[in-house]
Amino acid sequence: MKKTILKVSAILAAAVLSASCIKESVPVGGSVTQDQVSASDFALMSMINAMPASMGTSGTGGYAGSYGDHTDFGIPGIHLRLEHMLEDLATMADNPYYNRFYAYDLNQAQGYQYTYCAYFWDMYYTWIRLANDVIASMVPAIEDGADEETMIRLKNNLGQAYAYRAWCYLDLARLYEPKETAEVTIPSQIYELTVPIVDENTTIEDCKRNPRVKRDEMYAFILEDLRKAEENLDPSVTTFSQPTLMMVYGLYARAYLELGYERTGYNQEMFAKAAEYARKVIDESGKTPLTEEQWTNPTTGFNSASSNNAWIWGLALSSENLNNLLTFTSHMSSEAAWGYACYAQFGASQLLYDAVPDTDFRKLSWLGPNKEEWTSGKYRFAGTDEDRTRFLEGQGRPAAKPYVALKFRPAQGECNDFNVGNAIDYCLMRIEEMYFIEMEAQYHLNAAKGVELLKEFMREYRDASYSRIPAGADLETFKKELLLQKRIEFWGEGILLYDYKRLDQPIDRSASNHAGVFKLRTQRRSPQWNIVITRAEFQSNTAIDESLNNPDPSDKIEIL
């Protein structure tokens, strides 16, 4: 696994100023000044296009260059950090430290003085700064007036910026708002605190005393950004690779679902809104859940937006912005011969795998324990027959282990050339999530309807013989079944931690196929999911200090 030179310069270097108030944002490949923005519509387009480029580029956070960190590849890297804090992504290698996310699995070095927690803060606030720059430039450009066609385009770009910013703050709010755990006590003074708000009008001086805002204030800000995005986005734009009206409706559904769960109870109005927006996406997007053929396709499975009708929003990753090791495919595609995945042997926890009935095609996301079935035609493999033999038997690489992942295929089914195989489309939102949001929200409004929606989805799209949940299921039974189906559905996609945290669900890594060093168990939600604010922030922001930070969760979880 020879390391190549990064093909792009990093957007984020070590910041002297607060990460949440980075003075300059540098699009991939160059910079855009305010004078250029005023003079050129092309410059405005360059600014909005910098956001998706920075979200998936190898080394985009500067951590690869500064620390040799091979997990520095933007939002896919953040999503894998979240997956490794959960229970279902098993590391099965003889040497488990091929798993470069091991600190998150181990719950070690998660405090404010380490880079592991800083990555979340640094990346999201860099993207917020990019969105702020677009908003600050686009608003006066629109006020100056233009012909109708240009105005539609400018307003659509503005709407995208608001949508990006709302997405960033929604993720930050869910990651940093502390929730009660069994292992770590939450101090009363930080109840419902999220993160500081930095918008297009925030100055460097403002950032020097910028407190964490309360949950209600943060969600009001997010919802207002979504309103502005909805107001400005061109409804005729439907591409998956930029924010669209359907993506905004999806963010509304995510936000309102979170607001349905209050610290002391439930908010029916918010659940009604979550169900409403999830249903709007289902009814108006024209999107349909992945089929078995699309799910298991060895060439396009989970790597090509154009090969299915399910994806609402995602990234189109370019080989020009990727190196061999700092990519999602390198870490998650077991069939790719060049990356970490084939050495770390990532797969499903046996506890999860055993919970999937044979009648559910999603079980084909992982190799089963019966090796005789591997070449029986049950599974479809990327690449050539020779590639399949090397993958299964270990010629020049470790042989595949039972439960190893087949879900994420290298681009075009290319198992050897990383320039081709890394250049995937990466999914950030798909229609199936809206079905699950609707059923969860509806359960709180009408329990029988929530259960029926779950049954309908499973029987129509995943397993015609599904009958696991009883009609009169109580809330705890429903939550566990809902989460189980989401764990199967969204394994490896980076959205599950928010469900675990919201629903106060424990993790259990006792399955025999987890590497011994990673075996642990929590009693409730993990304290690790209350992400700690980086020391660089409260060293430059006097409104946040150690007493207003989330507690350090490091080494607080029971090791088995």
Side-chain angles (χ1 to χ4, degrees), residues 2-13:
K2 182 180 179 182
K3 181 179 177 182
T4 64
I5 298 174
L6 294 182
K7 296 183 177 179
V8 296
S9 59
I11 284 179
L12 179 67

Side-chain angles (χ1 to χ4, degrees), residues 270-459:
M270 297 298 102
F271 287 131
K273 286 284 191 182
E276 173 191 345
Y277 276 100
R279 177 46 57 177
K280 280 175 74 73
V281 181
I282 293 168
D283 289 344
E284 298 179 21
S285 67
K287 299 294 183 180
T288 51
L290 290 160
T291 65
E292 179 176 355
E293 161 59 32
Q294 292 163 350
W295 188 289
T296 62
N297 190 289
T299 303
T300 60
F302 285 91
N303 69 29
S304 170
S306 63
S307 69
N308 67 77
N309 189 43
W311 291 20
I312 297 168
W313 177 45
L315 302 175
L317 303 180
S318 167
S319 61
E320 293 304 308
N321 289 347
L322 304 172
N323 84 336
N324 60 340
L325 296 179
L326 279 69
T327 67
F328 182 82
T329 302
S330 167
H331 288 266
M332 286 299 285
S333 180
S334 304
E335 294 163 305
W338 64 84
Y340 283 111
C342 65
Y343 289 90
Q345 296 277 296
F346 292 130
S349 166
Q350 185 179 348
L351 293 176
L352 177 68
Y353 183 86
D354 289 346
V356 188
D358 292 340
T359 50
D360 186 336
F361 71 76
R362 297 175 300 176
K363 198 164 190 172
L364 298 173
S365 300
W366 312 279
L367 285 177
N370 185 353
K371 290 189 176 183
E372 293 179 0
E373 292 183 343
W374 291 5
T375 55
S376 66
K378 178 179 180 179
Y379 299 100
R380 306 167 71 194
F381 297 95
T384 64
D385 289 344
E386 185 179 0
D387 292 330
R388 181 187 65 186
T389 299
R390 282 198 295 264
F391 168 55
L392 295 177
E393 299 180 7
Q395 298 175 8
R397 51 171 291 169
K401 291 179 179 286
Y403 311 108
V404 79
L406 286 176
K407 181 175 179 179
F408 302 103
R409 309 300 182 134
Q412 302 179 45
E414 174 54 58
C415 296
N416 302 295
D417 184 347
F418 67 82
N419 286 304
V420 175
N422 274 332
I424 62 168
D425 294 336
Y426 181 76
C427 186
L428 293 167
M429 182 186 292
R430 55 187 173 95
I431 193 64
E432 292 89 344
E433 183 187 354
M434 298 300 112
Y435 282 92
F436 280 99
I437 289 176
E438 182 186 34
M439 61 183 77
E440 182 179 343
Q442 282 290 1
Y443 183 91
H444 288 279
L445 302 171
N446 180 331
K449 185 172 183 180
V451 170
E452 188 57 32
L453 286 171
L454 176 53
K455 287 181 178 178
E456 287 177 0
F457 175 84
M458 289 299 298
R459 289 171 179 170

Side-chain angles (χ1 to χ4, degrees), residues 509-521 558-560:
R509 262 195 241 141
S510 63
S512 60
N513 66 326
H514 280 283
V517 292
F518 298 150
K519 290 181 182 288
L520 51 80
R521 182 186 289 127
E558 175 188 358
I559 303 296
L560 302 179

Side-chain angles (χ1 to χ4, degrees), residues 146-337:
D147 62 80
E148 182 178 1
E149 182 180 347
T150 301
M151 186 63 71
I152 290 173
R153 185 169 63 252
L154 292 176
K155 291 183 69 176
N156 190 62
N157 291 344
L158 178 60
Q160 288 184 55
Y162 282 123
Y164 279 127
R165 191 168 73 179
W167 161 71
C168 286
Y169 277 119
L170 179 56
D171 278 8
L172 285 170
R174 294 185 292 175
L175 290 172
Y176 285 87
E177 182 189 351
K179 303 283 189 181
E180 293 292 348
T181 76
E183 294 83 5
V184 176
T185 301
I186 304 300
S188 59
Q189 69 267 24
I190 65 169
Y191 283 161
E192 298 190 351
L193 291 185
T194 61
V195 297
I197 292 175
V198 179
D199 65 16
E200 70 276 19
N201 299 312
T202 305
T203 67
I204 295 295
E205 287 303 310
D206 294 333
C207 286
K208 292 179 181 178
R209 185 163 183 81
N210 196 9
R212 301 176 69 178
V213 302
K214 284 276 193 176
R215 181 179 199 256
D216 288 349
E217 182 179 351
M218 175 56 75
Y219 277 91
F221 182 83
I222 292 167
L223 293 173
E224 178 62 11
D225 265 6
L226 291 177
R227 185 194 66 77
K228 293 175 181 176
E230 183 180 6
E231 181 180 84
N232 285 283
L233 284 169
D234 180 354
S236 69
V237 176
T238 59
T239 178
F240 94 102
S241 60
Q242 61 182 246
T244 62
L245 196 56
M246 292 302 111
M247 173 268 208
V248 167
Y249 289 162
L251 292 181
Y252 269 126
R254 287 179 179 177
Y256 280 122
L257 185 65
E258 292 292 332
L259 288 170
Y261 293 84
E262 298 177 341
R263 198 162 64 87
T264 56
Y266 301 114
N267 187 316
Q268 301 296 98
E269 181 183 357
M270 297 298 102
F271 287 131
K273 286 284 191 182
E276 173 191 345
Y277 276 100
R279 177 46 57 177
K280 280 175 74 73
V281 181
I282 293 168
D283 289 344
E284 298 179 21
S285 67
K287 299 294 183 180
T288 51
L290 290 160
T291 65
E292 179 176 355
E293 161 59 32
Q294 292 163 350
W295 188 289
T296 62
N297 190 289
T299 303
T300 60
F302 285 91
N303 69 29
S304 170
S306 63
S307 69
N308 67 77
N309 189 43
W311 291 20
I312 297 168
W313 177 45
L315 302 175
L317 303 180
S318 167
S319 61
E320 293 304 308
N321 289 347
L322 304 172
N323 84 336
N324 60 340
L325 296 179
L326 279 69
T327 67
F328 182 82
T329 302
S330 167
H331 288 266
M332 286 299 285
S333 180
S334 304
E335 294 163 305

